[in-house]
Amino acid sequence: MKEKSALITDFYELTMMHGYYLEQHDSKAVFDMFYRNNPFQGGYTIFTGIEELIDKLEGLRFSDSDIEYLRSLSIFDEGFLEYLRDYRFHGDVYAFDEGTPAFPGEPLIRVESDLMDAQLVETLLLNTVNFETLIATKASRMVLATKGHGSIMEFGLRRAQGENGAHSASRASFIGGTKSTSNTYAGKKFGIPVSGTMAHSWIMSYHSEEEAFRKFVEIYPDNGILLIDTYDTLGSGIEAAIKIGLEQKAKGKRIGVRIDSGDLSYLTKEIRSRLDNAGLEDATICVSNDLTEEIIRSLVSDGAPIDSWGIGTHLVTGGNQASLNGVYKLSAKEENGVMIPCLKVSNSYEKTTNPGIKQVYRFFDENGGALADLITLADEEIESGKNITFYHPFSTADFFIMKKGRYSTFKPMLTKKMENGKRISPAPELKEIQRSSAEKLAAFDKSYKRQINPHIYKVSLSEKLRNLKTELLVKTRTKESEVKNS
């Protein structure tokens, strides 16, 4: 277990903890992590980061130097600092499985602990899960955009948001469906296949493209991907590649070519024709150059003969969306030994939270297709084989009935990952998470996965949760009115 500095948190988490400590106000509490809107104007996210988070929570510590730094601020009580010296995360954590498709409003993580413990981990939790979920979702969208025409290589290390951001992005991208990474350290740390060929500087360092290509395949006969757009893609570049390709073919080897500039649709078609006419039908074509899912979709629609895609900037940074708007809210607290549901009320209806300790159920048809999700209270029992009413999360007048013949099965989505601050089971292999994620996404109709104007997947409230939310809203508004009129 690797220790993680507990100072990786917003300062107000520590000031609140200090206040709880001084006031001896440290009752049991439950917090939910959820997000409000799908990124990229899409129809889903790929929930990612929970396994990394569990590792971090297990190793969370205040080192001696951390304590000394906090002491130097002259803000914190000495008794509180000594409490922090022995701090260990001791909560229970429930969450969706890593790589699971998820939707707005659903509690994806539930933390059950005491106020001080659960408060401290808010920032670390959101920092880990928001970013990785964003990037895994971006990767998934790009993979879907290829429509099975070629695999995606993640090339984002040099454009990522710092070193740690690069490693997290490589991991999340792989869960989202990429096949390899250029990030050598991520290859070692996470077991992701690594890939890479040459830069223009390799070719420029030799007297000719032919010499540069020949030297490269001599060293790497089984990885002969040749960059052909250093000088003249359809001139000297492809001509030298064909010559080397025929030499390699005579040795029982094959080559590939990569293009990093220009009109990728026109160039790949011309190159494919030139390779095929030369007898190099098995030569592959790889493209790169600031690719987005929109560009990929356009190239695929145009019939561009592309075998692999090298994608960096727009994948590992989130492209046109900088972050996922995941939040962490108190949903229940202990009063006189009883857990009481909490509700955050807002003038914006979408920011009013769902109260209580909750569970999420996903309903499937007889073919395994996902139908809808239902947020319930954790102690509710869903009876199979009965009609179930699904209430709109914001409008109490809107609902639909899931007929008993419409669904075949349902499953709880939140499962216990940590107990008393300890991981319950070993983390699954990353390749298994990737495989499972793709399988789970395949359970959703293609209308939810459209790049443009996707269908909205239904996430609803159970009748019991809807009634509780309405009751608490009425009580809160009544108190507000009494205060105003007093």
Side-chain angles (χ1 to χ4, degrees):
M1 178 184 64
K2 185 177 180 180
E3 291 193 3
K4 186 78 173 177
S5 173
L7 291 188
I8 302 177
T9 189
D10 287 313
F11 188 60
Y12 80 161
E13 310 289 11
L14 290 166
T15 57
M16 285 188 286
M17 282 184 75
H18 187 220
Y20 294 146
Y21 175 85
L22 293 176
E23 294 296 318
Q24 297 184 350
H25 181 57
D26 195 26
S27 58
K28 292 181 180 178
V30 178
F31 283 77
D32 293 332
M33 180 270 163
F34 60 94
Y35 72 96
R36 294 193 173 104
N37 307 104
N38 285 321
F40 316 115
Q41 299 182 330
Y44 67 95
T45 68
I46 299 297
F47 173 65
T48 308
I50 183 62
E51 297 297 340
E52 290 268 277
L53 176 66
I54 291 171
D55 288 342
K56 293 175 182 178
L57 292 178
E58 277 197 316
L60 210 57
R61 302 286 188 273
F62 288 92
S63 67
D64 289 343
S65 63
D66 291 341
I67 298 297
E68 286 306 311
Y69 168 72
L70 293 177
R71 180 177 288 116
S72 74
L73 301 177
S74 301
I75 292 174
F76 300 109
D77 178 87
E78 193 63 32
F80 176 65
L81 294 176
E82 289 306 310
Y83 164 81
L84 295 183
R85 190 183 300 279
D86 296 326
Y87 172 81
R88 302 289 185 273
F89 176 73
H90 51 270
D92 296 347
V93 175
Y94 297 77
F96 279 38
D97 289 341
E98 184 107 65
T100 299
F103 303 91
E106 297 180 324
L108 305 178
I109 303 175
R110 188 173 84 222
V111 177
E112 298 183 2
S113 192
D114 54 59
L115 270 171
M116 292 171 66
D117 198 28
Q119 195 77 69
L120 175 65
V121 303
E122 174 182 7
T123 307
L124 182 64
L125 182 153
L126 292 174
N127 175 268
T128 302
V129 173
N130 279 342
F131 180 68
E132 291 202 31
T133 298
L134 180 79
I135 302 306
T137 305
K138 190 68 168 178
S140 174
R141 288 170 56 82
M142 288 179 164
V143 170
L144 289 178
T146 69
K147 294 185 177 181
H149 294 277
S151 59
I152 293 179
M153 301 174 286
E154 176 265 305
F155 283 177
L157 178 57
R158 63 187 61 189
R159 300 289 177 83
Q161 315 294 24
E163 180 181 325
N164 291 332
H167 305 329
S168 294
S170 293
R171 180 182 186 275
S173 296
F174 189 73
I175 290 174
T178 60
K179 295 304 181 185
S180 63
T181 180
S182 67
N183 184 340
T184 313
Y185 181 78
K188 174 190 174 184
K189 183 176 181 180
F190 303 120
I192 303 172
V194 292
S195 60
T197 56
M198 63 177 67
H200 293 291
S201 56
W202 171 273
I203 295 148
M204 294 165 66
S205 70
Y206 287 92
H207 295 296
S208 67
E209 287 165 293
E210 181 181 327
E211 181 186 7
F213 293 165
R214 183 172 288 111
K215 293 294 183 182
F216 193 82
V217 298
E218 285 175 2
I219 301 169
Y220 306 108
D222 298 314
N223 189 32
I225 308 298
L226 311 177
L227 184 59
I228 63 173
D229 67 338
T230 304
Y231 303 116
D232 183 357
T233 304
L234 295 181
S236 60
I238 186 61
E239 289 169 3
I242 288 174
K243 185 171 185 176
I244 301 304
L246 292 173
E247 292 175 5
Q248 289 298 99
K249 183 177 181 179
K251 300 174 184 177
K253 305 291 183 180
R254 68 172 184 166
I255 64 157
V257 298
R258 180 164 75 92
I259 315 166
D260 192 44
S261 61
D263 184 332
L264 297 180
S265 179
Y266 169 73
L267 289 174
T268 54
K269 291 174 183 177
E270 287 293 311
I271 289 164
R272 183 74 273 163
S273 176
R274 296 275 293 275
L275 291 169
D276 290 350
N277 290 337
L280 297 173
E281 295 89 352
D282 61 350
T284 60
I285 299 175
C286 172
V287 298
S288 49
N289 188 27
D290 283 339
L291 298 172
T292 66
E293 58 263 55
E294 292 81 11
I295 293 173
I296 295 170
R297 189 170 67 247
S298 175
L299 289 169
V300 170
S301 177
D302 202 29
I306 296 168
D307 299 291
S308 59
W309 314 76
I311 308 179
T313 305
H314 295 284
L315 173 54
V316 302
T317 65
N320 57 4
Q321 180 154 344
S323 64
L324 180 75
N325 57 3
V327 295
Y328 183 79
K329 300 297 181 184
L330 181 67
S331 62
K333 62 182 179 181
E334 183 185 25
E335 290 185 6
N336 300 319
V338 178
M339 295 303 292
I340 304 298
C342 298
L343 178 75
K344 177 189 176 294
V345 180
S346 173
N347 291 327
S348 301
Y349 65 85
E350 71 275 8
K351 287 193 173 184
T352 297
T353 61
N354 294 315
I357 306 172
K358 296 176 288 296
Q359 177 58 273
V360 181
Y361 289 92
R362 183 158 293 170
F363 286 72
F364 301 89
D365 62 24
E366 60 183 5
N367 297 316
L371 297 171
D373 287 6
L374 185 67
I375 307 174
T376 74
L377 294 172
D379 59 1
E380 286 190 64
E381 291 187 10
I382 308 297
E383 295 187 58
S384 181
K386 291 191 174 183
N387 294 343
I388 301 174
T389 305
F390 284 58
Y391 288 91
H392 193 283
F394 308 128
S395 173
T396 57
D398 292 339
F399 65 90
F400 73 94
I401 297 175
M402 180 79 74
K403 298 288 188 180
K404 61 184 179 181
R406 177 75 176 100
Y407 68 92
S408 176
T409 60
F410 53 84
K411 64 173 290 188
M413 303 301 291
L414 289 163
T415 59
K416 185 179 277 191
K417 306 297 184 184
M418 298 187 79
E419 185 171 357
N420 296 323
K422 300 295 183 184
R423 175 187 284 276
I424 288 179
S425 57
E429 294 289 333
L430 202 61
K431 289 181 180 179
E432 173 57 25
I433 295 173
Q434 184 194 62
R435 184 205 62 77
S436 176
S437 180
E439 185 178 89
K440 290 172 182 174
L441 186 60
F444 290 85
D445 186 80
K446 62 183 181 181
S447 61
Y448 302 120
K449 298 178 282 190
R450 286 197 299 254
Q451 302 279 312
I452 301 174
N453 295 326
H455 194 56
I456 298 174
Y457 183 78
K458 287 183 171 60
V459 176
S460 305
L461 307 183
S462 70
E463 182 175 10
K464 190 173 180 179
L465 178 55
R466 189 282 305 258
N467 291 343
L468 173 63
K469 184 175 184 178
T470 302
E471 176 188 341
L472 293 179
L473 277 170
V474 171
K475 285 183 179 179
T476 301
R477 295 306 188 195
T478 300
K479 287 182 180 178
E480 290 176 351
S481 179
E482 290 173 350
V483 170
K484 288 179 181 178
N485 296 325
S486 62

